[in-house]
Amino acid sequence: MKSRNKWITIVFLVFILAVPAATVIRGFFPKDDSPSQEQLGILEGNGTVQNGNAESQEPPPAEGESSDTVSTQASAENKDSGFTKLQVAINGFTNGLLGRSKLIAFNTKLTSLLTGGTYIESTQVLLGKNDMFFYKTELDGHPLWDYMGINHFADPELASIAANIVATRDHLKEKGIEFYAMCVPNKEIIYQENMPDTIAQVNEISRGEQLETYIRENTDLVFVYPKEELREAKEKAQIWYNTDTHCNQKGSFACMQALFREAYGTWADLDSVQFDIDPTGISGDLVYIAGLDKEYPKDIVYVLDTDSTDKAQYHDQVLLFVGDSFGGFLSAVSKGYYKKVYWEHPDAFNYEMYEKYQPDVVILEWAERYCERFGEPTLIRK
């Protein structure tokens, strides 16, 4: 018995020491992890890659991270919000551990097998009903708190955020630029029927809806939170990727139509336009994080046929879309409605971009899990 325990201990120690050692050795022989041309084509088609702004594109996320996690961590490091250089170095090392994705996948598959496919063990991903995956991270916003309705803003916070957006609108108006804002609801809120019964919704009003209500009642801003438009659209089509945090271009179309109705007084139904289909099943960011990308390459990419859009909604203007990764999908759809469209992530935005792009219209967008960031002076900093 003692001999067996001794050997188990030795094997365990070898394992936990060998993985970091192999990772260090592998660092001396870097490999090219950049996406293939085929992958880039799919990403550019569905709006994930920034359109024509190569100088501001973010690096692809490491295994086990979403694209917004990368940008959020980078932003946190730049702003001294708790990520020291040592912490960033440790995070980078652990994200690059040899075999990390395989170990994550093994753990996830094992728990799925033992529970009959009703549960997966993951710190960031939640398996819902009908094979729909949700984001349960607490390191990249708090989407489950948003869904549960337990993280509402206090009135002073709402007033501060609204005042900042008003100041942004007034600043851009002086430059002759139209300004609109959009908060995209989290997937959990739109597809709540697919959420596990174990996640209780304490308050049906999320903080994104709370913010929209406050702004509507206290300002004259065009601020869109397209919850109802998305719920209406999902009755007609799949508007979110099952395996990804992002809505697809059908969902993005519904979001933009909600904004057009508020900003311009126009509206087009989802059935009025056509979408091309990429028949290749893709694996979204959530199943990559969970290590299940090989088991769930099931999502279809829809690409708006811009020739099918209502020409009465066309604007002979230059649009600068400043938004998180959802902004990629939204800006791709916007190409059917504006003369030119540019997309920049808020963390990459700088004041000189007004001169660079000379926009007639600026749209600021944050996903709901980041909606407190509407309180940052992103577009008026110098």
Side-chain angles (χ1 to χ4, degrees), residues 119-136:
Y119 175 78
I120 60 171
E121 179 62 37
S122 172
T123 59
Q124 297 192 68
V125 180
L126 185 67
L127 175 60
K129 300 172 185 176
N130 300 312
D131 282 343
M132 181 167 278
F133 291 81
F134 297 96
Y135 202 22
K136 68 174 185 179

Side-chain angles (χ1 to χ4, degrees), residues 144-194:
L144 289 190
W145 291 7
D146 293 331
Y147 170 75
M148 297 169 70
I150 60 174
N151 59 345
H152 282 183
F153 291 113
D155 286 344
E157 292 177 297
L158 291 169
S160 177
I161 293 172
N164 182 68
I165 306 176
V166 169
T168 301
R169 189 271 312 273
D170 293 346
H171 179 75
L172 293 183
K173 187 176 181 179
E174 292 177 358
K175 296 172 70 67
I177 300 173
E178 299 173 28
F179 171 76
Y180 310 112
M182 178 189 297
C183 177
V184 180
N186 295 333
K187 180 181 185 179
E188 293 79 9
I189 289 168
I190 303 303
Y191 280 94
Q192 61 180 13
E193 69 276 11
N194 285 334

Side-chain angles (χ1 to χ4, degrees), residues 300-318:
I300 298 173
V301 174
Y302 296 100
V303 180
L304 176 66
D305 178 359
T306 55
D307 291 334
S308 69
T309 59
D310 184 355
K311 302 311 174 189
Q313 289 191 302
Y314 177 77
H315 299 275
D316 191 30
Q317 296 175 304
V318 175

Side-chain angles (χ1 to χ4, degrees), residues 42 71 106 140 155 171 185 206 209 213 219 231 251 253 279 306 327:
I42 292 175
S71 63
F106 174 77
D140 190 23
D155 286 344
H171 179 75
S206 67
E209 187 168 359
T213 300
T219 76
R231 286 187 172 179
F253 175 86
T306 55

Side-chain angles (χ1 to χ4, degrees), residues 131 178 180 195 232 256 262 296 300 376:
D131 282 343
E178 299 173 28
Y180 310 112
M195 286 289 288
E232 179 181 339
M256 291 307 302
E262 293 297 317
Y296 289 92
I300 298 173
E376 299 176 3

